[in-house]
Amino acid sequence: MPASPEIEYLKTLVSQLNEKIAALEAKSKGPATPSPAKQLRTILIGPPGAGKGTQAPRIRDDFCVCHLATGDMLRDQVEKKTPLGVEAKKIMDAGGLVSDDIMVNMIKEQLENNKHCKNGFVLDGFPRTVPQAQKLDGMLSARGEKLDSVVQLLIDDQLLISRITGRLIHPASGRSYHKTFHPPKKAGVDDITGEPLIQRSDDNAETLTRRLKTYHTQTGPVVDYYKAKGLWHGIDAAQSPKVVWDNLRSVFTTRK
């Protein structure tokens, strides 16, 4: 008995729907557009006041990676009395410098146990010497990983000194102002609480000149090491934070 036109029509409709479903399923199973956060491993280098504290958290948030500030990590390990922290405290209490191996192992411990590091990391404050850079490379290589980029924030020392010596801080909140570039509404007091602002004791030209000399002495060989590997990118940090961010993002999203 021949099928009625209505049945034939329904069969055709079902066939079309099945084809549409198959196409949608195939599309959904296809390769997802890679996120720029996918396995970003970078180092941020810059002198005090160049803007690392502004840019590193933004890299962390926009690229879903962890921000490893080695000074903060060291303090955290000491406070928590971890094996590495106890070992580091003994050395610091004796007036010594924490060894490169301890610092690299602290980074390794974060990469292994910090869930925020699964997409990668932005490293801030390390390495400061070529041997440290080599140890870091060795540790990453043992994990089957390698750095994608090393970004240096570049700024003239005199401009940096004028930026920092004008800084005013609200201690309770960490809000910062600048006598020239971002003054409070009322001189010397926080806009929100009306509490007094302070200038940090080390935010003076003499201290900064010393710190910058140390920075340049330490950083030069490290920068040369990464330049030789083709990983180094320099960014003009005298520009506005937004322009600096756009340039950083460009480095991370166009890397090979």
Side-chain angles (χ1 to χ4, degrees):
M1 182 178 174
S4 70
E6 187 176 4
I7 292 174
E8 290 297 337
Y9 168 73
L10 288 172
K11 282 182 177 177
T12 303
L13 195 60
V14 168
S15 176
Q16 289 173 346
L17 284 170
N18 284 334
E19 287 174 10
K20 182 74 173 173
I21 289 166
L24 287 170
E25 284 178 341
K27 189 176 179 181
S28 69
K29 289 176 183 175
T33 303
S35 158
K38 190 174 182 180
Q39 297 303 307
L40 171 68
R41 303 183 193 93
T42 192
I43 295 172
L44 198 57
I45 297 174
K52 294 199 307 293
T54 299
Q55 302 297 344
R58 185 153 187 196
I59 297 169
R60 175 197 66 204
D61 295 342
D62 275 44
F63 288 84
C64 305
V65 296
C66 60
H67 173 205
L68 301 180
T70 48
D72 293 342
M73 285 165 50
L74 187 56
R75 284 187 288 274
D76 184 56
Q77 295 269 354
V78 170
E79 283 174 14
K80 289 180 176 173
K81 297 181 179 177
T82 65
L84 285 171
V86 169
E87 192 178 346
K89 188 173 188 303
K90 280 181 191 173
I91 296 167
M92 290 189 291
D93 287 349
L97 291 173
V98 176
S99 73
D100 296 348
D101 286 332
I102 289 177
M103 296 307 299
V104 169
N105 280 329
M106 283 187 181
I107 295 167
K108 181 183 177 186
E109 190 266 340
Q110 286 291 309
L111 298 184
E112 289 175 350
N113 300 311
N114 183 343
K115 64 181 180 181
H116 299 295
C117 296
K118 64 180 171 57
N119 287 327
F121 58 83
V122 52
L123 194 52
D124 171 6
F126 191 92
R128 296 189 179 191
T129 67
V130 171
Q132 288 178 351
Q134 291 169 332
K135 284 182 184 291
L136 177 65
D137 280 349
M139 181 271 286
L140 290 173
S141 178
R143 288 172 51 82
E145 299 172 353
K146 62 181 180 178
L147 290 167
D148 301 309
S149 57
V150 176
V151 182
Q152 184 178 14
L153 299 179
L154 304 166
I155 186 167
D156 178 75
D157 283 2
Q158 289 308 310
L159 176 56
L160 200 56
I161 288 169
S162 70
R163 266 190 187 183
I164 295 179
T165 52
R167 276 200 307 204
L168 297 166
I169 309 292
H170 177 239
S173 68
R175 276 187 291 277
S176 63
Y177 301 84
H178 193 279
K179 292 175 183 176
T180 305
F181 307 124
H182 178 46
K185 292 172 185 174
K186 184 179 176 183
V189 298
D190 179 46
D191 288 350
I192 295 172
T193 64
E195 293 170 349
L197 300 174
I198 65 162
Q199 188 163 20
R200 286 180 179 149
S201 59
D202 58 352
D203 282 358
N204 63 76
E206 186 182 345
T207 302
L208 281 166
T209 301
R210 274 201 312 272
R211 289 174 70 192
L212 287 168
K213 186 178 179 182
T214 302
Y215 165 78
H216 291 306
T217 302
Q218 286 184 335
T219 305
V222 176
V223 166
D224 289 342
Y225 174 81
Y226 287 123
K227 280 182 177 177
K229 287 179 167 285
L231 293 171
W232 180 87
H233 301 265
I235 288 179
D236 179 3
Q239 305 171 101
S240 72
K242 182 185 182 305
V243 174
V244 172
W245 169 249
D246 289 342
N247 290 335
L248 277 168
R249 187 173 176 80
S250 176
V251 168
F252 302 143
T253 55
T254 58
R255 68 187 190 276
K256 294 175 184 177

